[in-house]
Coordinates of all heavy atoms in Angstrom, one line a residue:
Q1 N -9.8 -0.4 -5.2 CA -10.8 0.5 -4.6 C -11.7 -0.3 -3.7 O -12.0 -1.4 -4.0 CB -11.6 1.2 -5.7 CG -10.7 2.1 -6.6 CD -10.3 3.4 -5.8 OE1 -10.9 3.8 -4.8 NE2 -9.2 4.0 -6.2
T2 N -12.2 0.4 -2.7 CA -13.2 -0.2 -1.8 C -14.0 0.9 -1.0 O -13.4 2.0 -0.8 CB -12.5 -1.2 -0.7 OG1 -13.6 -1.7 0.1 CG2 -11.5 -0.4 0.1
Q3 N -15.2 0.6 -0.7 CA -16.0 1.6 0.2 C -15.9 1.2 1.7 O -16.4 1.9 2.5 CB -17.4 1.5 -0.3 CG -17.6 1.9 -1.8 CD -17.2 3.3 -2.0 OE1 -17.4 4.3 -1.3 NE2 -16.5 3.5 -3.2
V4 N -15.2 0.1 2.0 CA -15.1 -0.4 3.3 C -14.0 0.3 4.1 O -12.9 0.6 3.5 CB -14.9 -1.9 3.3 CG1 -14.8 -2.5 4.8 CG2 -16.0 -2.6 2.5
K5 N -14.2 0.6 5.4 CA -13.2 1.1 6.3 C -12.7 -0.1 7.1 O -13.5 -0.8 7.7 CB -13.7 2.2 7.1 CG -14.3 3.4 6.4 CD -13.2 4.3 5.8 CE -13.7 5.5 5.2 NZ -12.7 6.4 4.7
F6 N -11.3 -0.3 7.2 CA -10.7 -1.4 7.9 C -10.1 -0.9 9.2 O -9.4 0.2 9.2 CB -9.7 -2.1 7.0 CG -10.4 -2.8 5.8 CD1 -10.6 -2.1 4.6 CD2 -10.8 -4.1 5.9 CE1 -11.2 -2.7 3.5 CE2 -11.4 -4.8 4.8 CZ -11.6 -4.1 3.7
N7 N -10.1 -1.7 10.2 CA -9.5 -1.4 11.4 C -7.9 -1.6 11.3 O -7.2 -0.9 12.0 CB -10.0 -2.3 12.6 CG -11.5 -2.1 12.8 OD1 -12.3 -3.1 12.7 ND2 -11.9 -0.9 13.1
I8 N -7.6 -2.6 10.6 CA -6.1 -2.9 10.4 C -5.8 -3.1 8.9 O -6.5 -3.9 8.2 CB -5.7 -4.2 11.1 CG1 -5.9 -4.0 12.7 CG2 -4.2 -4.5 10.9 CD1 -5.6 -5.2 13.5
I9 N -4.8 -2.4 8.4 CA -4.4 -2.6 7.0 C -2.9 -3.1 7.1 O -2.1 -2.5 7.7 CB -4.5 -1.3 6.2 CG1 -6.0 -0.9 6.1 CG2 -3.9 -1.5 4.8 CD1 -6.1 0.4 5.3
I10 N -2.6 -4.2 6.4 CA -1.3 -4.8 6.5 C -0.7 -4.8 5.1 O -1.2 -5.2 4.1 CB -1.5 -6.3 6.9 CG1 -2.2 -6.3 8.3 CG2 -0.1 -7.0 7.1 CD1 -2.7 -7.7 8.6
F11 N 0.6 -4.4 5.1 CA 1.5 -4.5 3.9 C 2.6 -5.4 4.3 O 3.7 -4.9 4.8 CB 2.0 -3.1 3.5 CG 1.0 -2.1 3.1 CD1 0.4 -1.2 4.0 CD2 0.6 -2.0 1.7 CE1 -0.6 -0.3 3.6 CE2 -0.3 -1.1 1.3 CZ -1.0 -0.3 2.2
C12 N 2.4 -6.7 4.1 CA 3.4 -7.7 4.5 C 4.3 -8.0 3.3 O 3.9 -8.7 2.4 CB 2.8 -8.9 5.1 SG 3.9 -10.2 5.7
E13 N 5.5 -7.5 3.3 CA 6.5 -7.7 2.2 C 5.9 -7.3 0.9 O 6.2 -8.0 -0.1 CB 6.8 -9.2 2.2 CG 7.4 -9.7 3.5 CD 8.7 -9.0 4.0 OE1 9.7 -9.1 3.4 OE2 8.5 -8.3 5.0
S14 N 5.2 -6.2 0.8 CA 4.7 -5.8 -0.5 C 5.1 -4.4 -0.9 O 5.2 -4.1 -2.1 CB 3.1 -5.9 -0.4 OG 2.6 -5.1 0.7
L15 N 5.4 -3.4 0.0 CA 5.6 -2.1 -0.3 C 6.9 -1.9 -1.1 O 7.0 -1.0 -1.9 CB 5.6 -1.2 0.9 CG 4.2 -0.8 1.5 CD1 4.3 0.0 2.8 CD2 3.3 -0.1 0.5
Y16 N 7.9 -2.7 -0.8 CA 9.2 -2.4 -1.5 C 9.2 -2.9 -3.0 O 10.1 -2.7 -3.7 CB 10.4 -3.1 -0.7 CG 10.2 -4.5 -0.4 CD1 10.2 -5.5 -1.3 CD2 10.1 -4.9 1.0 CE1 10.2 -6.9 -1.0 CE2 10.1 -6.2 1.3 CZ 10.1 -7.2 0.4 OH 10.0 -8.6 0.7
Y17 N 8.1 -3.4 -3.4 CA 7.9 -3.8 -4.8 C 7.4 -2.6 -5.7 O 7.4 -2.7 -6.9 CB 7.0 -4.9 -5.0 CG 7.5 -6.3 -4.6 CD1 7.1 -6.9 -3.5 CD2 8.6 -6.9 -5.4 CE1 7.7 -8.2 -3.1 CE2 9.1 -8.1 -5.1 CZ 8.6 -8.7 -3.9 OH 9.2 -9.9 -3.6
L18 N 7.1 -1.5 -5.0 CA 6.7 -0.3 -5.7 C 7.8 0.2 -6.6 O 9.0 0.1 -6.1 CB 6.2 0.8 -4.7 CG 4.9 0.4 -4.0 CD1 4.6 1.5 -2.9 CD2 3.7 0.3 -4.9
R19 N 7.5 0.8 -7.7 CA 8.6 1.1 -8.7 C 9.5 2.3 -8.2 O 10.7 2.2 -8.4 CB 7.9 1.5 -10.0 CG 8.9 1.8 -11.1 CD 8.2 2.0 -12.4 NE 9.2 2.3 -13.5 CZ 9.6 3.5 -13.8 NH1 9.2 4.6 -13.1 NH2 10.4 3.7 -14.8
D20 N 8.9 3.3 -7.5 CA 9.7 4.3 -7.0 C 9.1 4.9 -5.7 O 8.0 4.5 -5.3 CB 9.8 5.5 -8.0 CG 8.5 6.0 -8.5 OD1 7.7 6.4 -7.7 OD2 8.2 5.9 -9.7
D21 N 9.9 5.8 -5.1 CA 9.5 6.3 -3.8 C 8.2 7.2 -3.8 O 7.5 7.2 -2.8 CB 10.6 7.2 -3.2 CG 11.9 6.3 -2.9 OD1 11.7 5.1 -2.8 OD2 13.0 6.9 -2.7
N22 N 7.9 7.8 -5.0 CA 6.7 8.6 -5.1 C 5.5 7.8 -5.0 O 4.4 8.2 -4.5 CB 6.7 9.3 -6.4 CG 7.8 10.4 -6.5 OD1 8.1 11.0 -5.5 ND2 8.3 10.7 -7.7
Q23 N 5.6 6.5 -5.4 CA 4.4 5.6 -5.3 C 4.1 5.3 -3.8 O 2.9 5.0 -3.5 CB 4.6 4.3 -6.1 CG 4.6 4.5 -7.6 CD 4.7 3.2 -8.4 OE1 5.3 2.3 -7.9 NE2 4.0 3.2 -9.5
I24 N 5.1 5.4 -2.9 CA 4.8 5.2 -1.5 C 3.9 6.2 -1.0 O 3.0 6.0 -0.2 CB 6.1 5.2 -0.7 CG1 7.1 4.0 -1.2 CG2 5.8 5.0 0.8 CD1 8.5 4.1 -0.6
D25 N 4.1 7.5 -1.4 CA 3.3 8.6 -1.0 C 1.9 8.4 -1.5 O 0.9 8.7 -0.8 CB 3.8 9.9 -1.5 CG 5.2 10.3 -0.9 OD1 5.4 10.1 0.3 OD2 6.1 10.7 -1.7
I26 N 1.8 7.9 -2.7 CA 0.4 7.7 -3.3 C -0.3 6.6 -2.5 O -1.5 6.7 -2.2 CB 0.6 7.2 -4.8 CG1 1.1 8.4 -5.6 CG2 -0.8 6.8 -5.3 CD1 1.5 8.0 -7.1

């Protein structure tokens, strides 16, 4: 969690570790 707004958010080789596709939507 954060209150900060970022100009660029990077997911470098991290999203495919999510357990299932529904977590991508989350």
Side-chain angles (χ1 to χ4, degrees):
Q1 292 293 335
T2 181
Q3 300 299 317
V4 180
K5 300 285 187 179
F6 294 86
N7 301 119
I8 299 177
I9 297 179
I10 304 167
F11 295 91
C12 184
E13 305 301 293
S14 54
L15 284 176
Y16 51 70
Y17 285 109
L18 293 173
R19 184 174 181 271
D20 56 58
D21 296 343
N22 291 331
Q23 288 187 328
I24 300 172
D25 295 318
I26 294 172

